[in-house]
Amino acid sequence: MSATRVLVLNSGSSSVKYQLLDMADGSRLALGIVERIGEETSRLKHTPLATGGEAREWTGPIADHDAALKAVSEELAKDGLGLDSPELAAIGHRVVHGGKAFTEPTVVDGAVLAEIERLIPVAPLHNPANLTGIRTAMALRPDLPQVAVFDTAFHTTMPESAARYAIDVETADEHRVRRYGFHGTSHAYVSRATAELLGRAPEEVNVIVLHLGNGASASAVRGGRCVDTSMGLTPLEGLVMGTRSGDLDPAVIFHLARVGGMSIDEIDTLLNKKSGLVGLCGDNDMREIRRRIDEGDEAARLAFDIYIHRLKKYIGAYYAVLGTVDAIAFTAGVGENAAPVRAAAVAGLETLGLAVDGALNAVRSDEPRLISPEDARVKVAVVPTDEELEIATQTYALVRPAEKK
């Protein structure tokens, strides 16, 4: 029996998202999430897609990630899809920060774990949780390949002119300060899917990808390779996000410390958790912001305008970086579902060949689609992202039997 299944794990600080896919045809067999790990009110929701069964939900204490993954294994086993299945080829793990060391998916060993751990200072919210998920999975299935797929890997093709900050080179190198970029699996998947939507090979297409969710990032992709991206050393830089400020004069930090008397930790919390849309108007849900705008709420309107202004700046900047743009692709929760954001982001950019068709933009669909006029010079697309499929695809490509490569 050929092993063609891949379990994808995305381990957060208090959650584990998972999907089981069969790479023989890319089908999803099961998916779910464990939330509030470490609390009495932990919640596991599991959907057995292979059997067509209804979603199962369980609430109760789940002490740690080890217990969470064991609970996931038990749910999968109920559907005949347990972690002990001989059809399971590998477990693919989302790892947020791979630094310069990891430019492609990598089978995890001791050295890989050590390097991911060494990168914790530049990804303190993400890499520790990613490590915990990997170690727990390794303990459950020590015989199975564990593959790390890095958010930063897709962006390692950036030239030094885009990746370097203009600070002292020795200091930057000593402390690994440079632009790494994030959401790489999404940008990789969406840029390829956009090329497919246009009926062209990725190598022939220049795309600006706008990943707009609670976290948001933009990338300039030339011929399938990232040449610039908005997030930097950490996921804080770039676009206005749900709770993150995005681009900011670094001296604001000095000002808040010296004049405001704020500690580094307090500033960190401010910029990562109390800024962005929530800092501007108290909401980080674009649906709620649009509802408030419709009711005449000026704070919500200003937050939306700031969000769009930053988005337009990046579209223009990446248009200049690429020189020629074939398409702009909107993806992730806001990008896929918020028609007013898409319309506002390209409004006034007609001289750049950008426009949306109002009727097409208003259509709700889970399928990749064009929303620009038929004769538009630059196509505007909505492309639902599929980071789990991307992780599974990269994982399976690395571990599948040699005769199938």
Side-chain angles (χ1 to χ4, degrees):
M1 181 182 295
S2 177
T4 59
R5 295 176 182 173
V6 174
L7 177 64
V8 175
L9 295 179
N10 182 353
S11 300
S13 58
S14 61
S15 67
V16 174
K17 297 178 184 177
Y18 64 94
Q19 287 195 22
L20 180 66
L21 298 96
D22 190 335
M23 300 315 296
D25 56 8
S27 62
R28 284 172 175 77
L29 304 178
L31 58 83
I33 184 171
V34 186
E35 299 176 293
R36 300 191 292 272
I37 295 171
E39 301 180 20
E40 290 295 314
T41 56
S42 304
R43 170 178 171 266
L44 187 156
K45 183 176 181 180
H46 174 84
T47 303
L49 301 173
T51 62
E54 294 185 1
R56 303 190 292 268
E57 197 164 325
W58 179 89
T59 303
I62 296 179
D64 50 29
H65 283 71
D66 182 61
L69 281 184
K70 287 178 179 175
V72 169
S73 180
E74 290 172 3
E75 289 300 319
L76 289 168
K78 292 177 183 177
D79 306 310
L81 304 170
L83 264 63
D84 58 351
S85 169
E87 295 180 68
L88 189 61
I91 298 178
H93 299 266
R94 179 198 179 207
V95 179
V96 167
H97 215 310
K100 288 183 70 177
F102 300 110
T103 62
E104 56 190 18
T106 304
V107 175
V108 176
D109 58 17
V112 172
L113 286 172
E115 182 61 20
I116 295 172
E117 189 164 17
R118 193 174 74 89
L119 288 163
I120 285 175
V122 289
L125 300 178
H126 299 94
N127 273 31
N130 301 156
L131 276 169
T132 299
I134 294 171
R135 286 172 171 146
T136 300
M138 290 177 79
L140 287 174
R141 280 297 305 269
D143 60 313
L144 202 65
Q146 309 283 333
V147 176
V149 178
F150 299 91
D151 270 14
T152 49
F154 182 65
H155 304 301
T156 58
T157 56
M158 284 189 293
E160 286 294 280
S161 56
R164 284 274 184 183
Y165 291 111
I167 66 172
D168 172 67
V169 172
E170 290 185 3
T171 301
D173 288 347
E174 180 182 355
H175 298 289
R176 305 186 297 282
V177 176
R178 61 187 288 114
R179 184 182 306 284
Y180 293 102
F182 300 88
H183 296 144
T185 52
S186 177
H187 287 279
Y189 177 85
V190 171
S191 60
R192 285 201 317 274
T194 302
E196 183 178 341
L197 185 63
L198 300 182
R200 299 169 65 183
E203 296 78 16
E204 301 173 349
V205 175
N206 290 354
V207 184
I208 297 173
V209 178
L210 303 172
H211 178 107
L212 308 179
N214 193 49
S217 61
S219 68
V221 182
R222 177 183 292 128
R225 294 166 61 86
C226 178
V227 295
D228 206 348
T229 193
S230 58
M231 286 179 167
L233 173 73
T234 75
L236 179 59
E237 189 181 1
L239 301 174
V240 175
M241 303 176 225
T243 66
R244 298 176 218 160
S245 65
D247 290 339
L248 190 77
D249 178 352
V252 169
I253 296 170
F254 314 148
H255 179 79
L256 292 175
R258 292 168 180 159
V259 179
M262 295 177 69
S263 69
I264 290 297
D265 286 344
E266 288 172 330
I267 297 171
D268 189 323
T269 298
L270 171 70
L271 298 182
N272 275 295
K273 298 181 179 179
K274 298 181 179 180
S275 295
L277 292 171
V278 79
L280 290 167
C281 70
D283 270 309
N284 64 336
D285 188 320
M286 188 59 71
R287 293 165 297 187
E288 181 64 14
I289 290 171
R290 291 301 309 178
R291 184 193 66 77
R292 288 171 55 184
I293 290 172
D294 291 342
E295 294 179 353
D297 189 310
E298 289 304 315
R301 165 56 67 183
L302 179 59
F304 182 82
D305 289 347
I306 293 171
Y307 182 95
I308 295 298
H309 180 76
R310 185 80 55 81
L311 193 52
K312 280 190 175 182
K313 285 176 68 174
Y314 270 92
I315 291 172
Y318 287 171
Y319 205 119
V321 167
L322 291 170
T324 300
V325 177
D326 297 291
I328 291 181
F330 288 90
T331 193
V334 174
E336 294 170 28
N337 298 299
V341 168
R342 299 191 295 261
V346 302
L349 302 182
E350 290 82 6
T351 57
L352 297 179
L354 287 163
V356 298
D357 179 292
L360 294 176
N361 190 35
V363 173
R364 297 294 295 268
S365 173
D366 294 330
E367 297 298 319
R369 61 200 185 276
L370 295 177
I371 59 170
S372 47
E374 188 174 347
D375 60 350
R377 190 168 81 248
V378 179
K379 304 302 182 184
V380 181
V382 180
V383 181
T385 191
D386 198 331
E387 295 175 88
E388 289 77 15
L389 177 59
E390 181 70 16
I391 291 170
T393 299
Q394 293 190 26
T395 296
Y396 189 62
L398 188 62
V399 305
R400 70 188 189 274
E403 66 270 15
K404 293 195 174 184
K405 293 186 180 179

